[in-house]
Amino acid sequence: MNDPLHSVPAIRCIASGEQSIVRIVPEETPVALVYDGSTHAVMMATPSDLEDFALGFSMAEGKVDRADEIAEFEIVEQPSGIELRMWLTPNAGRRIAARRRALLGPTGCGLCGVESLDAALPMLPVVAATRTFTRREISIAVASVASSQVLNREAHALHAAAFCRPGRMAPLVREDVGRHNALDKLVGAMTRQALAPSDGIVVLTSRVSVEMVQKTAVLGASVLAAVSVPTALAIRTANDCGITLVAVARADGFEVFTHPDRLLDGPDRYDPLVLAGRFQRRGSTHATC
């Protein structure tokens, strides 16, 4: 199977001259999600933890509702990429046939190829978990992810999605060049390990777009923390789904955008729709994945 990391020659240009170096870079491989013999998606992904990716993508995208609906699984290397072949139980197979889509995603793209605007913004479950977390637990969770990024420590070019449970030594971390892929891998890993989403905090090393909130809602996690700024739609969606959205997490603090009642020592009230207006790009309909 393709290695997730590669060493390549490069030339470093600095003020004093040039230097030949070896740079470790992440691999990017076409990975096809194949259900009952039909390809439903092709994603550019890091070729690691592919069984987790297959299950997490299948659940987060509504292909299956439970892990046992995938009756068989096989990883098949092809000259042009990797196929993740899944054979579904009859009920799941009929369901997926009724809403088949095909998408070719650039790195980490999670929405390209959907069949309608309604498909891009589906109805989502409301997360009702009431467990609270302290501000210190949020900060520790965010800070703990970097040291657990094994691939990124060498390549400095991969996103991470992590599940952090207060009191545990190390978070569960999945990495990928695509932020959506990293979260899909985390969903798969948590499902395979039967971890309760309400027991911890989902941490992202990327920005928070609406699809990242959607995947978190499907997972059932109640707190989502990220190092970058959320979009306005992500804020509104998190609010509607009952998710506590923490973002702009830095060493000196973080910002809470929705449902602060789950955070101890937090503000008493907060209107996320007011803040959402700060992030609207006026007069622009351009969007990137």
Side-chain angles (χ1 to χ4, degrees):
M1 183 175 295
N2 294 325
D3 293 329
L5 302 177
H6 290 277
S7 298
V8 299
I11 298 175
R12 175 180 291 150
C13 299
I14 56 179
S16 59
E18 298 179 354
Q19 179 185 9
S20 296
I21 64 170
V22 174
R23 167 67 65 185
I24 297 176
V25 299
E27 178 58 78
E28 189 176 20
T29 303
V31 177
L33 286 299
V34 182
Y35 300 89
D36 293 337
S38 297
T39 299
H40 284 241
V42 178
M43 306 297 288
M44 299 302 298
T46 302
S48 65
D49 301 306
L50 292 178
E51 187 170 357
D52 289 340
F53 181 39
L55 176 57
F57 180 92
S58 299
M59 296 190 66
E61 294 292 323
K63 308 298 185 184
V64 299
D65 293 329
R66 305 183 313 275
D68 61 7
E69 289 185 325
I70 300 177
E72 296 180 47
F73 174 76
E74 184 181 13
I75 299 175
V76 179
E77 293 187 53
Q78 302 285 9
S80 57
I82 299 172
E83 289 185 354
L84 305 183
R85 296 180 181 176
M86 289 162 278
W87 287 265
L88 307 181
T89 59
N91 285 341
R94 285 192 291 270
R95 228 176 26 245
I96 201 172
R99 58 183 297 270
R100 182 173 184 263
R101 70 172 183 170
L103 63 87
L104 176 61
T107 301
C109 181
L111 290 180
C112 297
V114 294
E115 297 174 337
S116 69
L117 292 175
D118 289 338
L121 298 173
M123 294 293 295
L124 295 169
V126 175
V127 178
T130 58
R131 174 168 176 169
T132 59
F133 300 89
T134 66
R135 290 181 175 179
R136 176 175 170 76
E137 287 172 336
I138 296 291
S139 297
I140 291 175
V142 174
S144 70
V145 175
S147 61
S148 299
Q149 285 189 255
V150 177
L151 300 180
N152 190 63
R153 189 157 58 241
E154 297 191 62
H156 307 289
L158 291 93
H159 289 295
F163 185 62
C164 307
R165 290 173 289 176
R168 299 299 180 100
M169 289 297 294
L172 173 63
V173 176
R174 289 295 181 264
E175 299 177 83
D176 201 283
V177 291
R179 56 199 173 90
H180 306 91
N181 299 341
L183 184 51
D184 282 337
K185 289 179 179 180
L186 180 68
V187 172
M190 290 179 61
T191 301
R192 286 160 56 83
Q193 297 182 34
L195 300 181
S198 61
D199 286 347
I201 302 154
V202 172
V203 178
L204 306 177
T205 62
S206 63
R207 67 184 177 90
V208 187
S209 53
V210 65
E211 57 268 42
M212 304 300 272
V213 175
Q214 291 170 340
K215 292 175 186 292
T216 302
V218 172
L219 172 63
S222 60
V223 179
L224 174 62
V227 301
S228 193
V229 175
T231 67
L233 181 56
I235 294 171
R236 294 194 296 269
T237 303
N239 186 59
D240 293 342
C241 292
I243 292 174
T244 298
L245 178 57
V246 174
V248 200
R250 301 287 189 269
D252 59 349
F254 52 78
E255 299 177 18
V256 184
F257 293 87
T258 60
H259 299 280
D261 48 295
R262 289 196 185 92
L263 302 185
L264 300 181
D265 303 320
D268 294 329
R269 292 183 298 174
Y270 203 85
D271 183 358
L273 297 182
V274 172
L275 183 62
R278 290 172 49 191
F279 298 102
Q280 292 175 351
R281 294 183 62 186
R282 300 182 182 275
S284 173
T285 57
H286 176 71
T288 58
C289 294

